[in-house]
């Protein structure tokens, strides 16, 4: 994989790729083919300087499980968020979580490895990019959604002014029952 990537081992990218491969879960290294590993490791390499959510999925050839790597900003990683992501993946793959591993380092990104157990022949079709968008949306806070709804409804200048005034004005638990668009109506009132 390192040879096919074409980076000099002494270059920044070459060293970063070597680190990705060195910290890749050993079980995965034994199960993944070289083409998939090259594609996934280059995708991970391209994330290194970006604070964004990414999803990489490897399907077991016997359809017993799917191995999912979720990369997200390290300071976002919480148990609650991991569980929301697991629920999205379980629903998408018609399976259940058999294991998960959280990998935190000094890197700005956390890696959450989720293994979804499935039944052969019962995995629905899926689009990794669509799932990545769902996971990214699950990573956004209610405040992020409120900001977006206010800007969408009122324009950027007024929306940001209203967010500063009312962003923290809602009682605890409000976000459990109402979405951000409902909050815009309440702010209007």
């Amino acid at each position: 994989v390192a040879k096919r990537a074409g980076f000099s081992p002494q270059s920044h990218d070459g060293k970063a790729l070597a680190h990705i491969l060195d910290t890749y879960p050993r079980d995965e290294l034994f199960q993944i083919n070289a083409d998939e590993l090259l594609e996934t490791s280059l995708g991970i390499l391209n994330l290194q300087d970006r604070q964004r959510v990414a999803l990489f999925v490897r399907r077991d050839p016997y359809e017993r499980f799917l191995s999912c790597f979720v990369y997200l900003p390290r300071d976002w990683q919480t148990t609650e968020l991991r569980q929301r992501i697991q629920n999205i993946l379980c629903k998408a793959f018609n399976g259940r979580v058999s294991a998960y591993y959280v990998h935190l380092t000094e890197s700005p990104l956390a890696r959450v490895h989720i293994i979804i157990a499935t039944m052969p022949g019962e995995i629905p079709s899926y689009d990794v990019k669509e799932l990545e968008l769902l996971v990214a949306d699950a990573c956004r806070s209610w405040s992020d959604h409120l900001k977006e709804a206010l800007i969408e409804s009122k324009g950027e200048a007024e929306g940001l002014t209203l967010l500063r005034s009312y962003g923290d004005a809602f009682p605890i638990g409000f976000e459990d029952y109402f979405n951000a668009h409902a909050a815009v109506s309440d702010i209007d009132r």
Side-chain angles (χ1 to χ4, degrees), residues 4 17 24-25 32 34 47 59 75 95 101 103 115 130 132 134 137 149 154:
R4 285 177 57 193
L17 180 62
Y24 210 80
I32 195 168
L47 288 175
R59 186 178 182 144
D75 57 335
Y101 309 94
H103 183 72
I115 300 171
E130 284 180 20
E132 186 177 77
L134 288 173
D137 191 53
K154 307 294 182 186

Side-chain angles (χ1 to χ4, degrees), residues 11-149:
S11 70
H12 175 73
D13 285 343
K15 291 177 182 176
L17 180 62
H19 178 72
I20 290 166
L21 295 172
D22 286 345
T23 58
Y24 210 80
R26 295 291 174 242
D27 288 351
E28 283 295 309
L29 283 175
F30 288 115
Q31 296 177 35
I32 195 168
N33 69 47
D35 292 335
E36 286 178 304
L37 182 58
L38 176 64
E39 182 181 339
T40 300
S41 58
L42 290 177
I44 296 166
L45 178 66
N46 289 329
L47 288 175
Q48 296 305 307
D49 297 325
R50 295 187 183 101
Q51 291 274 335
R52 73 172 195 88
V53 175
L55 172 67
F56 301 94
V57 177
R58 185 183 67 79
R59 186 178 182 144
D60 171 56
Y62 303 107
E63 296 189 356
R64 298 168 299 182
F65 64 89
L66 289 105
S67 180
C68 307
F69 287 102
V70 179
Y71 284 82
L72 61 144
R74 183 180 58 206
D75 57 335
W76 293 5
Q77 170 49 39
T78 64
T79 299
E80 179 187 350
L81 178 57
R82 177 188 47 79
Q83 290 171 338
R84 283 195 312 243
I85 293 168
Q86 287 176 184
N87 290 340
I88 290 168
L89 297 175
C90 286
K91 183 176 179 185
F93 300 133
N94 191 28
R96 63 173 177 73
V97 174
S98 74
Y100 68 87
Y101 309 94
V102 178
H103 183 72
L104 299 171
T105 64
E106 62 279 346
S107 166
L109 295 174
R111 178 181 74 204
V112 182
H113 180 197
I114 303 168
I115 300 171
I116 306 293
T118 56
M119 294 297 294
E122 294 185 18
I123 301 172
S125 63
Y126 58 90
D127 180 328
V128 174
K129 289 297 171 197
E130 284 180 20
L131 282 173
E132 186 177 77
L133 290 173
L134 288 173
V135 169
D137 191 53
C139 292
R140 295 175 60 217
S141 69
W142 190 84
S143 293
D144 293 335
H145 289 286
L146 178 61
K147 177 182 176 182
E148 183 181 288

Side-chain angles (χ1 to χ4, degrees), residues 142 173-183 186:
W142 190 84
F174 181 88
E175 59 202 57
D176 294 335
Y177 297 101
F178 301 100
N179 68 30
H181 290 285
D186 289 344

